[in-house]
Amino acid sequence: MSAAGNPVIELRDVRKAFGSNVVIERLDFDVGKGEIVALLGQTGSGKSTVLNIVMGTIPADAGSVRVAGSDPYRQFARLRGKLAVSFQTDRLLPWRTAVENAEIGLLVLGMPKAKARQVARTWLDRVKLTGAGDLYPHQLSGGMRQRVSLARALCVDPELVLLDESFSQLDHVTSQTLRADFASIAREFNKTCLFVTHRIDDAMEMADRVLVLRPGAGIALEEGIDASIRSSLQRRSALHDKIAAVMGAEA
Amino acid sequence: MAAQVSGKPAESAREAVPVATVQTESARWSGDLVPTLVVVALLVLAIQVGSAFLPPYVMPQPLIILQATWEVLTADPIHIGITGLRLAAAVLFSMLVGVLLGIIMGVFPRLRPYLRSLVIIDTGIPALSWMLLAIFWFRDPEVRIFFILSVILIPFYALNVFDGIRALPREWVDMLESFRPRRWQVLRYLIAPHIVPYILTTTKAVIGYAIRMAIFAELVASAIGIGSRMSLAQSTFRIDKVLAWTLLLVILNLALQAAIASIDKALLKWRPEAAVR
């Protein structure tokens, strides 16, 4: 399960259990620089646990985890500015306007306020929120809030972007638009992305590579996805069915 | 960094969220004005009727009370200023100390049980006990009043701010921590703005109580201030002046509530107020 070049994420024989419940066992995979990898799995397959381990919010019980050359849990502060997360919910702070929310990562990294504001506005433009920067979260729609959340993650120019079911709470059309916009930005700026989702369509739409997680074990299936697969209805459908079969079998 | 791309607000029309019925603070204040005036008119009428049947040393006429109000306003304005200053100093100090205690309780779990016990024990001590203790412990009346008001008000701020920190959504903490902030940055960007509504609500809730306590403290521990003037009026059988001071205290309370409401409006402009139909 290796990526070409120097991997930004490198997991080796990772294990994680909560009490007697083994959530992850023998998990190995890499994500190379500039790659967009989707980690697919049914609810309870442990994909959020993998994401939390990569984020460094929980430690792995065994095995090795390296993110941008550091252990994300034990060397938590070393990933300052190298990693950003877009969550399932937008997590905007209600007392900050859209642009103030977008700039928060930059302020944490110590960028002067005026410069941070300028960068945040540029990214809001980039995610198609021109003119909405001075609105508060309650004045924005769900899709607009999620766009602010993406701008907030991209603002810090991270080496790695983690997406935790970022589009799953949006309606189909908005989700599709946002996915396409994000994938285009990620490719344009050569961002490395690990995208956790349970929706096969989301994964196939965005990812260069799809990994299907086996509950309590490792990766059950790994498939590369390129433009030829996306453009061929037949091949796309066949791959969709194959992934669905593996996910169904693992559920 | 990102290239400049001319975009447009995405999905603004399609995704527009219907705005809920919203009632602003100013609308609520103006909405409260008419009922307040009706209640005041009824009270004046009741005093007028009462004064017709009761002797003037029990219930003077509203006009006499108004004349006494003018008299205390022109003759004793210094006492209003002194009470106001005492109140402001004690409330600001209690706010500062209470907020600090609340933050320490919220952020340092090891200190939490000790501080919480201290604050809860404080809330169990009657205000009168503090007043009597202050008379024993301190000679200076200013120190007495400051001490009494502070020990009474600090727990309100400490407990409410602690509750505010406990109510901080874990999701927001995780979001900020994903950027690897320093501890002071979590305080600066998350905890401090989050507890502002709790501080304002506490101030709104305690201001009337603080006025009552200040007057009471002045009554037993000082020779100047509104409390001491009310005591003097009582001892010289000037019920008109007692009622005049009472009227001024009610006005002071309303003015302070309005001032806090304005601060509330300025600081919490981000918060929509949904009204239940």
Side-chain angles (χ1 to χ4, degrees):
Chain A
M1 308 282 175
S2 61
N6 285 335
V8 176
I9 300 176
E10 195 178 349
L11 270 72
R12 293 283 173 272
D13 202 16
V14 169
R15 181 182 193 276
K16 182 71 190 175
F18 295 100
S20 59
N21 179 25
V22 179
V23 182
I24 301 165
E25 185 91 70
R26 299 187 303 279
L27 180 64
D28 285 281
F29 73 87
D30 293 346
V31 179
K33 183 158 176 54
E35 249 196 317
I36 302 178
V37 172
L39 188 63
L40 266 165
Q42 295 279 22
T43 304
S45 61
K47 53 189 190 304
S48 290
T49 304
V50 176
L51 200 77
N52 284 327
I53 288 172
V54 172
M55 277 166 65
T57 50
I58 55 170
D61 294 342
S64 148
V65 182
R66 309 292 292 174
V67 174
S70 303
D71 181 320
Y73 184 77
R74 288 174 188 83
Q75 298 169 310
F76 190 82
R78 274 203 199 173
L79 288 176
R80 214 171 139 87
K82 292 182 180 173
L83 178 153
V85 188
S86 173
F87 298 90
Q88 187 171 16
T89 52
D90 55 74
R91 304 191 182 195
L92 300 184
L93 301 176
W95 56 82
R96 299 182 78 93
T97 60
V99 70
E100 287 168 348
N101 267 291
E103 74 189 6
I104 197 160
L106 296 169
L107 298 177
V108 167
L109 295 177
M111 185 179 277
K113 200 169 179 176
K115 175 74 179 159
R117 182 63 51 94
Q118 191 190 347
V119 173
R121 285 208 189 273
T122 308
W123 274 105
L124 286 181
D125 290 348
R126 193 67 179 79
V127 297
K128 299 177 182 171
L129 281 178
T130 305
D134 295 325
L135 297 176
Y136 284 99
H138 75 267
Q139 296 168 312
L140 302 172
S141 68
M144 292 164 91
R145 286 200 293 266
Q146 201 60 28
R147 284 177 187 276
V148 178
S149 144
L150 287 174
R152 181 180 61 200
L154 292 164
C155 251
V156 296
D157 195 17
E159 206 169 319
L160 172 66
V161 183
L162 302 174
L163 296 108
D164 183 9
E165 306 261 16
S166 299
F167 314 111
S168 63
Q169 291 206 335
L170 302 171
D171 66 78
H172 182 69
V173 178
T174 310
S175 164
Q176 201 171 25
T177 316
L178 229 57
R179 265 181 351 229
D181 288 349
F182 178 80
S184 129
I185 293 170
R187 291 205 168 86
E188 185 184 338
F189 292 96
N190 198 31
K191 295 289 173 206
T192 307
C193 303
L194 179 63
F195 174 36
V196 163
T197 183
H198 65 275
R199 300 206 312 205
I200 301 172
D201 284 337
D202 284 7
M204 290 181 63
E205 192 83 43
M206 280 180 60
D208 303 318
R209 198 150 54 94
V210 170
L211 307 172
V212 180
L213 197 59
R214 188 199 313 259
I219 300 296
L221 177 72
E222 179 183 13
E223 287 288 340
I225 298 173
D226 55 23
S228 67
I229 292 176
R230 284 196 193 92
S231 59
S232 159
L233 193 62
Q234 200 178 359
R235 290 182 65 192
R236 190 188 158 100
S237 174
L239 183 57
H240 185 286
D241 292 348
K242 186 178 175 183
I243 294 170
V246 173
M247 282 177 72
E250 300 303 338
Chain B
M1 192 27 62
Q4 284 283 358
V5 173
S6 62
K8 56 182 179 182
E11 308 127 45
S12 52
R14 184 164 50 80
E15 290 181 50
V17 177
V19 178
T21 308
V22 166
Q23 191 183 30
T24 62
E25 194 75 19
S26 60
R28 204 167 60 198
W29 272 94
S30 59
D32 286 349
L33 189 63
V34 173
T36 306
L37 290 175
V38 170
V39 170
V40 169
L42 287 173
L43 282 173
V44 171
L45 186 68
I47 294 170
Q48 181 67 49
V49 172
S51 66
F53 298 97
L54 296 165
Y57 58 85
V58 175
M59 183 59 74
Q61 287 181 354
L63 199 62
I64 303 291
I65 298 170
L66 271 182
Q67 280 167 351
T69 307
W70 179 248
E71 193 184 327
V72 298
L73 267 177
T74 49
D76 291 332
I78 186 80
H79 296 282
I80 299 170
I82 285 168
T83 301
L85 277 177
R86 283 170 175 161
L87 200 62
V91 169
L92 288 175
F93 176 77
S94 305
M95 187 188 293
L96 189 71
V97 174
V99 167
L100 276 175
L101 283 174
I103 290 175
I104 294 169
M105 283 197 284
V107 177
F108 299 103
R110 285 187 182 178
L111 291 173
R112 183 178 306 153
Y114 301 100
L115 285 175
R116 212 169 158 212
S117 302
L118 184 70
V119 169
I120 287 170
I121 288 170
D122 183 9
T123 57
I125 298 172
L128 185 64
S129 300
W130 285 123
M131 287 179 194
L132 296 175
L133 288 171
I135 291 168
F136 278 111
W137 289 348
F138 308 108
R139 183 169 293 181
D140 187 340
E142 293 309 323
V143 178
R144 285 175 182 171
I145 293 168
F146 184 76
F147 172 79
I148 292 164
L149 287 176
S150 299
V151 290
I152 291 169
L153 297 180
I154 285 170
F156 288 103
Y157 284 103
L159 291 175
N160 282 339
V161 166
F162 172 54
D163 267 353
I165 294 174
R166 280 202 308 178
L168 191 63
R170 182 73 226 171
E171 288 193 334
W172 293 350
V173 179
D174 288 345
M175 180 280 293
L176 196 64
E177 285 193 339
S178 71
F179 293 112
R180 269 68 178 167
R182 297 192 168 84
R183 198 161 196 155
W184 69 264
Q185 290 179 314
V186 177
L187 196 66
R188 159 80 181 78
Y189 295 118
L190 199 56
I191 294 176
H194 174 70
I195 60 174
V196 168
Y198 291 87
I199 298 171
L200 288 169
T201 305
T202 308
T203 307
K204 273 189 267 188
V206 302
I207 202 73
Y209 185 59
I211 291 174
R212 287 197 292 278
M213 285 302 110
I215 300 306
F216 201 17
E218 285 176 344
L219 197 86
V220 295
S222 176
I224 48 172
I226 296 176
S228 71
R229 294 295 97 182
M230 290 182 84
S231 174
L232 182 67
Q234 183 263 331
S235 62
T236 54
F237 301 101
R238 289 292 303 272
I239 192 170
D240 55 334
K241 280 197 174 181
V242 171
L243 288 168
W245 283 117
T246 306
L247 174 65
L248 288 175
L249 286 171
V250 171
I251 292 168
L252 178 67
N253 187 20
L254 290 175
L256 288 174
Q257 292 286 0
I260 298 164
S262 307
I263 297 169
D264 190 295
K265 193 179 165 189
L267 292 181
L268 304 183
K269 61 183 177 189
W270 52 268
R271 198 167 66 168
E273 286 184 58
V276 178
R277 267 189 269 267

